[in-house]
Amino acid sequence: IEHVEAYIYGANGNIQRLTTGYAYPREFSLHYGKSVNLKPDETYRVLIHFTSRYYASFPRFEFLPRNDYQRQVLVDNLLAIGAFGALAALAVFNFFIYLLVREKSHLYYSIYLVTFSFGWLFPFQVFTQLWGFQDLRWHYLPIFLCPLTCGLFCIEFLRLRQEAPKLAWWIGVPAVIAAFLGISCFVALPYAHILASGIVAI
């Protein structure tokens, strides 16, 4: 989500304004959360406005005590880092197996895992958090490449070219088309979002 703006109106007329989103510094790593000061037994009115050219699901807003939210952020981040670490370990492991046995299925699986990881690292904005890299065009490219890398792995691993050439064709052609549509990331980004959503749905 590119821009989130929240206004919290207190009973005494005070207004707290909070901004967060893709292009803003993070208070909580990998999350859009912001700290807000609320007094007990007081009524507040909250107005939240978000704008984003490209997002895949409706955002969820919630208010939590700071300690509870910090605990939730810690658990979320540990799960995410663990998942990315497992994917990286599998990718490296299969790449070394390929170097030893020269079996292409291991190479394609390793490349697929890297592509899949990047497909999630960009939405989690890991590169934004680490190095300030913000370029929406690269967010969708791994999604377009995933069908190709996964298709190559399936065709090679199941030996479909030899055992079921028609099935290999039905997997390969749509995968190549999906990868070709990745050009839309750089020439027509709004359409890339729509096409990527369709590819994920398929």
Side-chain angles (χ1 to χ4, degrees):
I1 301 172
E2 292 180 282
H3 180 78
V4 180
E5 198 166 19
Y7 295 90
I8 301 174
Y9 299 88
N12 57 0
N14 290 338
I15 302 174
Q16 297 183 59
R17 179 177 177 269
L18 308 170
T19 54
T20 186
Y22 176 66
Y24 296 88
R26 299 294 156 72
E27 185 176 344
F28 300 95
S29 181
L30 305 183
H31 289 71
Y32 287 143
K34 298 288 283 188
S35 294
V36 58
N37 297 316
L38 302 177
K39 295 180 180 179
D41 301 321
E42 282 200 19
T43 301
Y44 294 89
R45 294 179 185 273
V46 180
L47 174 65
I48 300 175
H49 178 251
F50 73 92
T51 55
S52 188
R53 291 169 292 173
Y54 323 107
Y55 64 95
S57 61
F58 197 79
R60 181 182 58 140
F61 299 103
E62 61 181 351
F63 286 87
L64 293 172
R66 183 181 176 87
N67 289 340
D68 292 349
Y69 186 66
Q70 285 179 320
R71 192 177 302 111
Q72 179 179 314
V73 167
L74 177 63
V75 172
D76 291 347
N77 289 352
L78 285 174
L79 290 173
I81 291 168
F84 292 134
L87 290 170
L90 279 171
V92 171
F93 177 73
N94 278 276
F95 181 71
F96 279 116
I97 291 178
Y98 164 73
L99 292 178
L100 291 172
V101 301
R102 296 295 174 176
E103 177 65 44
K104 286 184 180 178
S105 62
H106 291 286
L107 175 63
Y108 292 147
Y109 186 55
S110 179
I111 295 171
Y112 166 66
L113 290 171
V114 171
T115 308
F116 183 81
S117 297
F118 273 75
W120 281 105
L121 286 168
F122 277 115
F124 272 85
Q125 299 175 33
V126 172
F127 303 112
T128 303
Q129 295 269 287
L130 292 176
W131 301 293
F133 179 80
Q134 293 182 334
D135 192 339
L136 285 170
R137 295 175 299 176
W138 292 95
H139 280 49
Y140 298 107
L141 188 59
I143 296 171
F144 287 103
L145 295 177
C146 267
L148 179 63
T149 56
C150 182
L152 287 170
F153 165 68
C154 290
I155 291 169
E156 191 68 30
F157 180 72
L158 299 173
R159 304 189 186 281
L160 294 181
R161 289 190 185 93
Q162 297 82 17
E163 304 295 333
K166 287 184 179 179
L167 183 56
W169 188 88
W170 280 108
I171 292 174
V173 170
V176 171
I177 293 172
F180 179 76
L181 291 174
I183 297 171
S184 62
C185 296
F186 303 96
V187 298
L189 187 56
Y191 295 103
H193 174 72
I194 296 168
L195 292 170
S197 299
I199 287 170
V200 169
I202 292 171

